[in-house]
Amino acid sequence: MQLIAHRGLARTVPENTLAAFAAALSSGFDGLETDIRLCADGEAVLCHDRITPNGTPVAGLTRKALSQQLGYLVPTLAEALDTFPEALWNLEIKSPDAVKPAFEIIAASRHATRILLSSFRHDIVIAAAELLQVDCALLVAHHPVSLTGLVQQALPHERLRSIVWDFEIVDARLLEQIADLGFRSYVYGAHTPYEHAFCRDYQISGIITDHPEFVGLTPVPALQ
């Protein structure tokens, strides 16, 4: 089971920053999950929320202005990939306007085999599976009545063989069924030792977690 740090190790440093990513890797995580948005000057930046705490859309701010509002330097996607080229990256594209610059940066990366691209926008994931030489995953936060529709949209694309599930909706039967269909499962949103143990017992491919202590890791101080 690959251990992936949710937005880096954001216990003592801001999430989705180079310091958070460095702390996660130094703590023993295999990979890093992060979120891609587009800011007003056309930069693909790593930021989870669509709106800043004072109510301004990220898309309406330059990277400099966004960094000033958040109180830390917001990294770009290119900077993060260049700084940690050997890490496994789970890159979640948050909005369609970020697709073009993100795809260009990912396509230019020398370490594309270490990228898992995901999104709740399944049209973006399918486009990535068609255009990029990276593994792709559908992000899913609902329990489907049937897996047929979910699987059918992915089957034509050989790089689309992973699903990232919200822990809230997974159960043993669902994980077993999707594995039988030839798909890998990743899970985010586990918050207790039991929930992490459940993921391990059902041999999911990776867990995206905020809790290193529940996967046998000891957090280290952030590296500045």
Side-chain angles (χ1 to χ4, degrees), residues 136-154:
C136 300
L138 302 173
L139 259 168
V140 180
H142 70 283
H143 196 299
V145 175
S146 168
L147 290 175
T148 303
L150 196 63
V151 168
Q152 281 182 340
Q153 66 177 316

Side-chain angles (χ1 to χ4, degrees), residues 13-207:
V13 290
E15 66 184 28
N16 282 332
T17 59
L18 298 184
F21 300 144
L25 295 174
S26 296
S27 299
F29 277 97
D30 303 306
L32 305 163
E33 185 271 348
T34 192
D35 309 285
I36 305 170
R37 291 190 179 277
L38 191 72
C39 60
D41 45 7
E43 293 267 27
V45 294
L46 306 185
C47 184
H48 178 268
D49 292 342
R50 180 172 53 86
I51 304 294
T52 66
N54 75 353
T56 307
V58 169
L61 295 168
T62 64
R63 180 195 181 195
K64 180 179 179 180
L66 176 62
S67 298
Q68 289 173 336
Q69 284 204 20
L70 296 182
Y72 56 83
L73 180 61
V74 176
T76 67
L77 173 61
E79 287 172 345
L81 295 181
D82 286 345
T83 304
F84 306 104
E86 302 303 325
L88 167 67
W89 285 97
N90 173 208
L91 304 176
E92 180 187 343
I93 295 183
K94 286 292 189 180
S95 58
D97 59 0
V99 167
K100 185 176 185 294
F103 279 19
E104 290 174 351
I105 292 165
I106 293 166
S109 172
R110 294 170 296 165
H111 302 276
T113 56
R114 300 286 286 167
I115 290 174
L116 178 68
L117 186 145
S118 64
S119 182
F120 284 109
R121 288 287 304 256
H122 292 181
D123 55 332
I124 291 175
V125 179
I126 290 172
E130 293 173 346
L131 298 172
L132 300 174
Q133 298 299 305
V134 299
D135 288 333
C136 300
L138 302 173
L139 259 168
V140 180
H142 70 283
H143 196 299
V145 175
S146 168
L147 290 175
T148 303
L150 196 63
V151 168
Q152 281 182 340
Q153 66 177 316
L155 282 177
H157 312 286
E158 62 181 17
R159 291 192 173 275
L160 183 43
R161 290 295 182 273
S162 297
I163 298 178
V164 180
W165 304 97
D166 185 343
F167 183 86
E168 186 79 19
I169 56 90
V170 297
D171 55 45
R173 179 172 172 78
L174 178 69
L175 294 175
E176 290 168 354
Q177 286 179 324
I178 204 69
D180 289 342
L181 291 169
F183 285 76
R184 296 177 293 275
S185 284
Y186 294 78
V187 172
Y188 72 94
H191 292 298
T192 69
Y194 165 79
E195 291 173 350
H196 286 72
F198 172 89
C199 294
R200 183 180 61 248
D201 291 345
Y202 280 92
Q203 299 181 332
I204 66 166
S205 293
I207 186 167

